[in-house]
Amino acid sequence: MTIKQSNSYENSLFPLSPTQTDIYYDQLLHENCPLYNLGGYIILENVDITKLTLAHELLITRHDIFGMRIIMTDDKICQRIATDRNTKLRIIDFSHELEPEKTAQRWMQSLIERSINIDNNELFKINLLKLSDDFFYYTLVMHHLSIDGWGFGNLIQTLGRYY
């Protein structure tokens, strides 16, 4: 599902911070390299999928990092906050695999090893991996242009509060 919000700054462009600029240019030098991917997962047991899906939607719609888009104009690199965001929580079922945890971890590793297209795209990938009827991984991979390790921890705490 894609949700479109109306913000006064929806089409406003603003410059990247000096750190973001460094990351942007270094990513261009290493175009297909996942050097700036940050990833992790939360282990969830006996989770209410409906509540988690709603918490996930709130996380995506209420926090601007999920709307961050990097834009190259004729003369500069800018960013904007898009209001159209994909809030669907994709569920991938590994529960029928012989070794669900190992298979899920290999899948997560392959996801984090794929570079994120930073040209006017979402800078995150979030999935829910089902390992059994009551055991899941909530996985996040985000580009460092949008978040750092500290912010990553804050997002996880916020998801917990929304849940």
Side-chain angles (χ1 to χ4, degrees), residues 10 12-13 17 33 47 57 63 104-105 116 129-130 151 161 163:
E10 177 178 354
S12 299
L13 296 176
S17 72
C33 179
V47 67
E57 283 184 24
H63 297 276
Q105 289 173 1
I116 295 174
L129 309 185
K130 179 179 178 180
R161 281 195 308 274
Y163 181 78

PDB file of all heavy atoms in Angstrom, residues 10 12-13 17 33 47 57 63 104-105 116 129-130 151 161 163:
ATOM      1  N   GLU A  10       6.434  19.221   0.851  1.00  0.00           N
ATOM      2  CA  GLU A  10       6.463  18.044  -0.013  1.00  0.00           C
ATOM      3  C   GLU A  10       7.399  18.195  -1.209  1.00  0.00           C
ATOM      4  O   GLU A  10       8.147  17.283  -1.529  1.00  0.00           O
ATOM      5  CB  GLU A  10       5.047  17.724  -0.493  1.00  0.00           C
ATOM      6  CG  GLU A  10       4.989  16.571  -1.459  1.00  0.00           C
ATOM      7  CD  GLU A  10       3.567  16.252  -1.875  1.00  0.00           C
ATOM      8  OE1 GLU A  10       2.621  16.849  -1.340  1.00  0.00           O
ATOM      9  OE2 GLU A  10       3.422  15.401  -2.743  1.00  0.00           O
ATOM     10  N   SER A  12       9.687  20.672  -1.577  1.00  0.00           N
ATOM     11  CA  SER A  12      10.838  21.505  -1.259  1.00  0.00           C
ATOM     12  C   SER A  12      12.123  20.696  -1.365  1.00  0.00           C
ATOM     13  O   SER A  12      12.210  19.584  -0.855  1.00  0.00           O
ATOM     14  CB  SER A  12      10.729  22.049   0.168  1.00  0.00           C
ATOM     15  OG  SER A  12       9.577  22.845   0.302  1.00  0.00           O
ATOM     16  N   LEU A  13      13.105  21.295  -2.013  1.00  0.00           N
ATOM     17  CA  LEU A  13      14.429  20.690  -2.089  1.00  0.00           C
ATOM     18  C   LEU A  13      15.327  21.394  -1.090  1.00  0.00           C
ATOM     19  O   LEU A  13      15.238  22.609  -0.924  1.00  0.00           O
ATOM     20  CB  LEU A  13      15.006  20.842  -3.494  1.00  0.00           C
ATOM     21  CG  LEU A  13      14.268  20.122  -4.617  1.00  0.00           C
ATOM     22  CD1 LEU A  13      14.910  20.441  -5.965  1.00  0.00           C
ATOM     23  CD2 LEU A  13      14.245  18.628  -4.390  1.00  0.00           C
ATOM     24  N   SER A  17      23.576  17.438   3.983  1.00  0.00           N
ATOM     25  CA  SER A  17      24.546  17.877   4.987  1.00  0.00           C
ATOM     26  C   SER A  17      25.948  17.553   4.455  1.00  0.00           C
ATOM     27  O   SER A  17      26.091  16.761   3.519  1.00  0.00           O
ATOM     28  CB  SER A  17      24.313  17.153   6.306  1.00  0.00           C
ATOM     29  OG  SER A  17      24.717  15.798   6.188  1.00  0.00           O
ATOM     30  N   CYS A  33      28.195  -1.050  -4.902  1.00  0.00           N
ATOM     31  CA  CYS A  33      28.734  -1.580  -3.656  1.00  0.00           C
ATOM     32  C   CYS A  33      27.795  -1.224  -2.490  1.00  0.00           C
ATOM     33  O   CYS A  33      27.368  -0.081  -2.362  1.00  0.00           O
ATOM     34  CB  CYS A  33      30.125  -0.991  -3.418  1.00  0.00           C
ATOM     35  SG  CYS A  33      30.886  -1.536  -1.891  1.00  0.00           S
ATOM     36  N   VAL A  47       3.932 -12.713  18.065  1.00  0.00           N
ATOM     37  CA  VAL A  47       3.569 -11.356  17.672  1.00  0.00           C
ATOM     38  C   VAL A  47       2.188 -11.340  17.013  1.00  0.00           C
ATOM     39  O   VAL A  47       1.801 -12.285  16.327  1.00  0.00           O
ATOM     40  CB  VAL A  47       4.653 -10.766  16.734  1.00  0.00           C
ATOM     41  CG1 VAL A  47       4.697 -11.493  15.405  1.00  0.00           C
ATOM     42  CG2 VAL A  47       4.458  -9.286  16.522  1.00  0.00           C
ATOM     43  N   GLU A  57       3.163   0.668   9.582  1.00  0.00           N
ATOM     44  CA  GLU A  57       2.590   1.774   8.794  1.00  0.00           C
ATOM     45  C   GLU A  57       2.807   3.115   9.492  1.00  0.00           C
ATOM     46  O   GLU A  57       3.160   4.104   8.852  1.00  0.00           O
ATOM     47  CB  GLU A  57       1.091   1.551   8.554  1.00  0.00           C
ATOM     48  CG  GLU A  57       0.799   0.545   7.492  1.00  0.00           C
ATOM     49  CD  GLU A  57      -0.695   0.416   7.209  1.00  0.00           C
ATOM     50  OE1 GLU A  57      -1.459   1.376   7.485  1.00  0.00           O
ATOM     51  OE2 GLU A  57      -1.101  -0.645   6.722  1.00  0.00           O
ATOM     52  N   HIS A  63       7.643   9.243  10.084  1.00  0.00           N
ATOM     53  CA  HIS A  63       9.062   9.589  10.177  1.00  0.00           C
ATOM     54  C   HIS A  63       9.632   9.914   8.797  1.00  0.00           C
ATOM     55  O   HIS A  63       9.626   9.080   7.897  1.00  0.00           O
ATOM     56  CB  HIS A  63       9.836   8.464  10.877  1.00  0.00           C
ATOM     57  CG  HIS A  63       9.346   8.286  12.280  1.00  0.00           C
ATOM     58  ND1 HIS A  63       9.798   9.060  13.320  1.00  0.00           N
ATOM     59  CD2 HIS A  63       8.388   7.475  12.795  1.00  0.00           C
ATOM     60  CE1 HIS A  63       9.156   8.718  14.419  1.00  0.00           C
ATOM     61  NE2 HIS A  63       8.289   7.770  14.135  1.00  0.00           N
ATOM     62  N   ALA A 104      16.759 -18.000   6.353  1.00  0.00           N
ATOM     63  CA  ALA A 104      16.389 -16.594   6.522  1.00  0.00           C
ATOM     64  C   ALA A 104      17.630 -15.721   6.694  1.00  0.00           C
ATOM     65  O   ALA A 104      17.713 -14.623   6.130  1.00  0.00           O
ATOM     66  CB  ALA A 104      15.451 -16.430   7.709  1.00  0.00           C
ATOM     67  N   GLN A 105      18.600 -16.191   7.453  1.00  0.00           N
ATOM     68  CA  GLN A 105      19.820 -15.405   7.661  1.00  0.00           C
ATOM     69  C   GLN A 105      20.624 -15.269   6.373  1.00  0.00           C
ATOM     70  O   GLN A 105      21.177 -14.202   6.100  1.00  0.00           O
ATOM     71  CB  GLN A 105      20.647 -15.996   8.796  1.00  0.00           C
ATOM     72  CG  GLN A 105      19.976 -15.757  10.130  1.00  0.00           C
ATOM     73  CD  GLN A 105      20.647 -16.455  11.297  1.00  0.00           C
ATOM     74  OE1 GLN A 105      21.652 -17.131  11.153  1.00  0.00           O
ATOM     75  NE2 GLN A 105      20.069 -16.280  12.472  1.00  0.00           N
ATOM     76  N   ILE A 116      21.648  -0.178  -2.614  1.00  0.00           N
ATOM     77  CA  ILE A 116      20.357   0.508  -2.723  1.00  0.00           C
ATOM     78  C   ILE A 116      20.508   1.629  -3.738  1.00  0.00           C
ATOM     79  O   ILE A 116      21.443   2.437  -3.656  1.00  0.00           O
ATOM     80  CB  ILE A 116      19.925   1.065  -1.350  1.00  0.00           C
ATOM     81  CG1 ILE A 116      19.674  -0.088  -0.377  1.00  0.00           C
ATOM     82  CG2 ILE A 116      18.687   1.945  -1.484  1.00  0.00           C
ATOM     83  CD1 ILE A 116      19.386   0.342   1.054  1.00  0.00           C
ATOM     84  N   LEU A 129      10.099 -11.697   8.154  1.00  0.00           N
ATOM     85  CA  LEU A 129      10.407 -13.067   7.775  1.00  0.00           C
ATOM     86  C   LEU A 129       9.756 -14.025   8.762  1.00  0.00           C
ATOM     87  O   LEU A 129       9.990 -13.942   9.968  1.00  0.00           O
ATOM     88  CB  LEU A 129      11.923 -13.294   7.763  1.00  0.00           C
ATOM     89  CG  LEU A 129      12.765 -12.283   6.981  1.00  0.00           C
ATOM     90  CD1 LEU A 129      14.220 -12.713   6.966  1.00  0.00           C
ATOM     91  CD2 LEU A 129      12.234 -12.084   5.578  1.00  0.00           C
ATOM     92  N   LYS A 130       8.939 -14.917   8.240  1.00  0.00           N
ATOM     93  CA  LYS A 130       8.249 -15.901   9.082  1.00  0.00           C
ATOM     94  C   LYS A 130       9.100 -17.164   9.158  1.00  0.00           C
ATOM     95  O   LYS A 130       9.406 -17.775   8.133  1.00  0.00           O
ATOM     96  CB  LYS A 130       6.879 -16.237   8.488  1.00  0.00           C
ATOM     97  CG  LYS A 130       6.110 -17.263   9.283  1.00  0.00           C
ATOM     98  CD  LYS A 130       4.752 -17.545   8.655  1.00  0.00           C
ATOM     99  CE  LYS A 130       4.028 -18.609   9.455  1.00  0.00           C
ATOM    100  NZ  LYS A 130       2.708 -18.901   8.861  1.00  0.00           N
ATOM    101  N   GLY A 151      20.297   6.270  15.124  1.00  0.00           N
ATOM    102  CA  GLY A 151      18.941   6.413  14.593  1.00  0.00           C
ATOM    103  C   GLY A 151      18.268   5.071  14.390  1.00  0.00           C
ATOM    104  O   GLY A 151      17.054   4.933  14.587  1.00  0.00           O
ATOM    105  N   ARG A 161       7.076   1.096  20.596  1.00  0.00           N
ATOM    106  CA  ARG A 161       6.060   1.962  21.203  1.00  0.00           C
ATOM    107  C   ARG A 161       4.761   1.950  20.400  1.00  0.00           C
ATOM    108  O   ARG A 161       3.673   1.927  20.968  1.00  0.00           O
ATOM    109  CB  ARG A 161       6.583   3.397  21.352  1.00  0.00           C
ATOM    110  CG  ARG A 161       7.503   3.599  22.523  1.00  0.00           C
ATOM    111  CD  ARG A 161       7.724   5.055  22.858  1.00  0.00           C
ATOM    112  NE  ARG A 161       8.131   5.869  21.728  1.00  0.00           N
ATOM    113  CZ  ARG A 161       9.389   6.032  21.321  1.00  0.00           C
ATOM    114  NH1 ARG A 161      10.372   5.427  21.931  1.00  0.00           N
ATOM    115  NH2 ARG A 161       9.663   6.806  20.285  1.00  0.00           N
ATOM    116  N   TYR A 163       3.689  -0.429  18.524  1.00  0.00           N
ATOM    117  CA  TYR A 163       3.083  -1.765  18.657  1.00  0.00           C
ATOM    118  C   TYR A 163       2.289  -1.840  19.964  1.00  0.00           C
ATOM    119  O   TYR A 163       1.213  -2.303  20.050  1.00  0.00           O
ATOM    120  CB  TYR A 163       4.168  -2.839  18.620  1.00  0.00           C
ATOM    121  CG  TYR A 163       3.638  -4.242  18.734  1.00  0.00           C
ATOM    122  CD1 TYR A 163       3.065  -4.867  17.632  1.00  0.00           C
ATOM    123  CD2 TYR A 163       3.700  -4.948  19.933  1.00  0.00           C
ATOM    124  CE1 TYR A 163       2.570  -6.157  17.732  1.00  0.00           C
ATOM    125  CE2 TYR A 163       3.215  -6.233  20.041  1.00  0.00           C
ATOM    126  CZ  TYR A 163       2.649  -6.843  18.931  1.00  0.00           C
ATOM    127  OH  TYR A 163       2.157  -8.110  19.036  1.00  0.00           O
TER     128      TYR A 163
END
